[in-house]
Amino acid sequence: MDHVKEVLGKPTSKTAAFFAHLAEFITKFSGTTLAFCVALGLVLLWALTGPIFHYSETWQLVINTSTTIITFLMVFLIQRAQNKDSLVLHLKLNELLAVTKGASNRLINAQDFSENEINLLHEYFCLLAEKAKKENDLGKTHTVEEAEENHQEKVEARHTRHQGTPHHS
């Protein structure tokens, strides 16, 4: 826990904090109606100036260059926002896993697993889903280990019942 406090308590440089706040502001603003209206207004203004500049190559180059630069920068802002949202979602899920009795702690930080590990876990949970289907009780939850134990008990119980009944020949 001291490590967490140490990381959370680390001061960031003023430059990094400034750019973080600027990126946050632009990300939030770019998703607003006002931002769309400003962009639309700029495109309309550009279109209206076409006759003034005789639809020259320079006139076309202005909009092409502007939109390319804005798009290029927005890709990084969108990725930054998605990374942050994803991390926050993982933290919330990790908190739920950590405090839920019976939940498997091996899934905490699953986002850091390799693709092979993720595929293995996917197969693991597919097995759990199959075992749950066999129990015909969709409301019951358990781990794969519990499902395997329950399944084995049922198989043994069926086997015992079948051994106790006379066979007709």
Side-chain angles (χ1 to χ4, degrees):
M1 193 63 170
D2 290 334
H3 176 68
V4 173
K5 288 179 185 175
E6 180 183 313
V7 170
L8 293 176
K10 277 188 181 177
T12 56
S13 71
K14 288 184 180 183
T15 306
F18 170 76
F19 281 113
H21 288 297
L22 180 64
E24 189 77 26
F25 172 78
I26 293 170
T27 301
K28 286 180 180 175
F29 176 74
S30 66
T32 65
T33 303
L34 178 60
F36 174 78
C37 291
V38 168
L40 181 62
L42 288 172
V43 170
L44 290 175
L45 179 66
W46 169 81
L48 291 173
T49 62
I52 297 169
F53 293 103
H54 308 288
Y55 303 100
S56 68
E57 286 185 24
T58 304
W59 172 80
Q60 292 178 36
L61 190 60
V62 166
I63 196 72
N64 290 337
T65 304
S66 301
T67 55
T68 300
I69 291 170
I70 290 169
T71 302
F72 178 76
L73 295 174
M74 287 305 294
V75 164
F76 294 100
L77 285 176
I78 291 168
Q79 187 61 53
R80 179 186 183 276
Q82 286 182 332
N83 289 348
K84 182 180 177 183
D85 288 346
S86 178
L87 181 59
V88 167
L89 180 62
H90 288 294
L91 290 171
K92 290 176 179 181
L93 290 171
N94 289 345
E95 171 71 7
L96 292 173
L97 283 172
V99 301
T100 303
K101 185 176 181 172
S104 175
N105 286 342
R106 63 187 135 183
L107 292 180
I108 294 177
N109 286 335
Q111 70 274 9
D112 296 332
F113 292 176
S114 70
E115 203 166 326
N116 286 339
E117 290 170 321
I118 291 170
N119 288 333
L120 181 64
L121 277 171
H122 176 72
E123 290 173 18
Y124 193 70
F125 284 105
C126 286
L127 174 65
L128 178 61
E130 283 301 313
K131 291 190 181 291
K133 280 182 194 175
K134 289 178 184 174
E135 289 187 13
N136 294 325
D137 185 0
L138 297 177
K140 186 175 181 183
T141 60
H142 43 64
T143 65
V144 171
E145 291 85 358
E146 289 171 332
E148 288 173 347
E149 287 173 17
N150 291 343
H151 181 69
Q152 189 59 39
E153 287 172 10
K154 285 183 177 183
V155 169
E156 289 171 4
R158 273 188 233 128
H159 183 68
T160 304
R161 274 191 302 236
H162 290 309
Q163 282 182 342
T165 56
H167 296 287
H168 297 8
S169 308

